Amino acid sequence: MEWLTDPEIWISLLTLTALEIVLGIDNIVFISILSGKLPLDQQKKARQLGLLLALFMRVALLFSIKWIMSLTATFMNLADWFNVSNEKWQAYLSFSGRDLILLLGGLFLIYKSTTEIHHKIEGGEEGHELRGKAVTFGNVILQILILDIVFSLDSVITAVGMADYIGVMIAAVVIAVIIMMLSAGAISDFVNKHPTVKMLALAFLLLIGVSLTAEAFEQHIPKGYIYFAMAFSILVEFLNMRAQKKVKSKT
């Protein structure tokens, strides 16, 4: 029970929990957009199930720390295939298991975000209704599960790098997911209620997809830049919404 009086453990728990929540924001946005395709009575269930799957996946991965860390070892080296001798290109073309997951997840995010943006701009309401017939609860959960794998891996690697105790890691992940579950409904309603915010959210997901893809090629984009861009865009959109609201109140 000595850990209860160790300030370093509490600091690491609070810091890691905050980071897990930040890393989970893009997951919530993705789940909100996908669940918004379902009938209203199924949306909440899809959001909760998606986040529960993320929770179980992260906890399961935390108990497989050795396997997680082995994913950073070289799994496939394209440089050897093409006889590339340049050290810089060898680093770019050397892929670990984690790199491959990030690459596939990033490409999936880019594809989904691009098709959703295209649908919003070109598809129209009629296209939405026609396409909606093919959208099923299982299909949405499957897509959420695919991205949960990518986000969970990133989250777990962050936890392993920041904390020394498995209990601290699990506690931080559980607290973060509970907070995400409590806020997912409000975030989802807000995103789906405002078309411009939904388009902005899709642009964020596209940006995150590019970031994950770049990460797979050892091109590290500081997360601070991405989140600053998101925060600035949200601030501009918030001011725009306030201005529009004032104009409508005057008329």
Side-chain angles (χ1 to χ4, degrees):
M1 299 294 288
E2 293 180 1
W3 63 272
L4 289 172
T5 57
D6 190 342
E8 289 188 7
I9 291 180
W10 286 103
I11 291 172
S12 65
L13 175 62
L14 292 174
T15 305
L16 185 54
T17 301
L19 276 175
E20 291 292 331
I21 293 172
V22 171
L23 288 172
I25 289 175
D26 41 20
N27 204 354
I28 292 177
V29 171
F30 182 80
I31 290 174
S32 299
I33 291 174
L34 283 181
S35 62
K37 296 175 175 293
L38 294 170
L40 193 60
D41 59 332
Q42 294 183 354
Q43 292 181 13
K44 183 177 180 180
K45 184 180 177 182
R47 288 195 303 267
Q48 291 181 338
L49 183 57
L51 288 170
L52 278 175
L53 287 171
L55 173 60
F56 288 130
M57 199 172 300
R58 292 177 189 189
V59 172
L61 288 174
L62 280 171
F63 282 110
S64 306
I65 292 177
K66 288 185 179 180
W67 178 73
I68 292 296
M69 297 312 292
S70 70
L71 289 178
T72 58
T74 300
F75 177 78
M76 180 176 66
N77 194 339
L78 295 181
D80 293 339
W81 295 9
F82 298 104
N83 295 320
V84 176
S85 58
N86 186 284
E87 292 185 2
K88 190 174 183 180
W89 278 101
Q90 282 186 341
Y92 291 155
L93 298 174
S94 176
F95 294 96
S96 64
R98 174 179 177 271
D99 292 336
L100 290 175
I101 292 176
L102 291 178
L103 177 61
L104 293 175
L107 292 176
F108 179 75
L109 259 185
I110 292 172
Y111 167 76
K112 282 298 298 180
S113 303
T114 303
T115 53
E116 287 297 323
I117 291 172
H118 174 79
H119 168 67
K120 289 296 175 187
I121 296 175
E122 301 288 344
E125 291 300 321
E126 184 179 351
H128 176 74
E129 290 178 6
L130 290 172
R131 188 180 173 188
K133 294 180 181 179
V135 177
T136 64
F137 185 83
N139 183 274
V140 168
I141 293 299
L142 178 61
Q143 293 183 63
I144 291 174
L145 183 61
I146 292 172
L147 260 296
D148 274 344
I149 293 172
V150 177
F151 290 127
S152 295
L153 186 67
D154 193 40
S155 170
V156 168
I157 289 175
T158 300
V160 171
M162 285 200 59
D164 296 323
Y165 300 97
I166 185 71
V168 173
M169 300 177 201
I170 293 175
V173 167
V174 171
I175 294 171
V177 172
I178 290 174
I179 293 174
M180 287 159 60
M181 290 182 71
L182 293 174
S183 61
I187 294 174
S188 179
D189 291 342
F190 184 78
V191 168
N192 290 317
K193 194 178 293 182
H194 299 85
T196 55
V197 174
K198 193 167 186 176
M199 188 63 70
L200 193 61
L202 288 169
F204 290 165
L205 291 175
L206 184 62
L207 179 61
I208 292 166
V210 172
S211 173
L212 291 175
T213 304
E215 190 86 11
F217 288 96
E218 301 300 326
Q219 298 298 304
H220 304 288
I221 302 174
K223 292 283 176 57
Y225 294 161
I226 296 175
Y227 291 126
F228 173 78
M230 289 182 178
F232 181 77
S233 301
I234 291 171
L235 176 61
V236 172
E237 181 60 26
F238 174 74
L239 294 174
N240 185 41
M241 291 170 63
R242 288 290 301 271
Q244 289 180 351
K245 189 175 181 180
K246 284 185 178 182
V247 171
K248 287 181 180 180
S249 63
K250 289 181 180 179
T251 56

